[in-house]
Amino acid sequence: MGVLIQISRELAVDSASLLAEEKKKERRKSYIKRTKAYSYKTLTAGAEDKHLWAYLVTLEPKKQHEMVAYKHEGEEFVYVVEGRVEIQVGKEINVIKKGQSLHFNSGISHNLKNLSTKQSTLLVVVYTP
């Protein structure tokens, strides 16, 4: 923090703005990484600099999802459009099926698995501060 304060003084800018720019860069990288992932279809195109992103996610039958990040700052909301999935958040295992949802702190390690013999489709909304 001391170095950050010194830099902000030298540049004559608020130290909070330096941190905000770094957060924006991190969010942008995460957004781009997710939209390039094979199973993510973005529903919020052009939202790289925003705090809220929505995706349509497809999971192959009986497969564990190769997620972009298993733990990230913020919150996540998952709604099952089709299929049945297991979402492990920390030590808690949640089984949700078509028409059900789960909202959780994405700062807790989480993992996603398709329990169906068919492809599962999810609406996933990610909020990052």
Side-chain angles (χ1 to χ4, degrees), residues 74-87:
E75 297 177 55
E76 200 159 320
F77 173 83
V78 178
Y79 175 83
V80 180
V81 176
E82 196 64 49
R84 186 169 159 259
V85 298
E86 174 186 291
I87 302 174

Side-chain angles (χ1 to χ4, degrees), residues 9-102:
R9 282 183 186 153
E10 288 297 317
L11 296 174
V13 296
D14 179 25
S15 59
S17 67
L18 292 176
L19 291 174
E21 281 304 311
E22 188 57 34
K23 284 262 192 208
K24 268 188 182 179
K25 286 179 188 176
E26 287 176 32
R27 278 198 309 270
R28 211 176 280 134
K29 273 199 280 188
S30 178
Y31 178 86
I32 290 167
K33 192 174 181 184
R34 282 177 188 274
T35 55
K36 287 184 177 181
Y38 69 95
S39 60
Y40 282 79
K41 178 185 177 201
T42 185
L43 301 175
T44 50
E48 297 88 2
D49 294 328
K50 304 296 182 192
H51 296 274
L52 186 82
W53 306 322
Y55 301 96
L56 198 58
V57 177
T58 55
L59 299 172
E60 294 305 313
K62 298 288 186 181
K63 296 284 182 182
Q64 186 159 325
H65 190 218
E66 297 297 327
M67 297 185 79
V68 176
Y70 291 106
K71 181 179 176 182
H72 51 89
E73 191 176 17
E75 297 177 55
E76 200 159 320
F77 173 83
V78 178
Y79 175 83
V80 180
V81 176
E82 196 64 49
R84 186 169 159 259
V85 298
E86 174 186 291
I87 302 174
Q88 182 172 355
V89 181
K91 293 181 181 179
E92 186 177 334
I93 297 191
N94 306 274
V95 175
I96 58 175
K97 59 185 179 182
K98 182 178 179 175
Q100 295 180 325
S101 63
L102 182 67

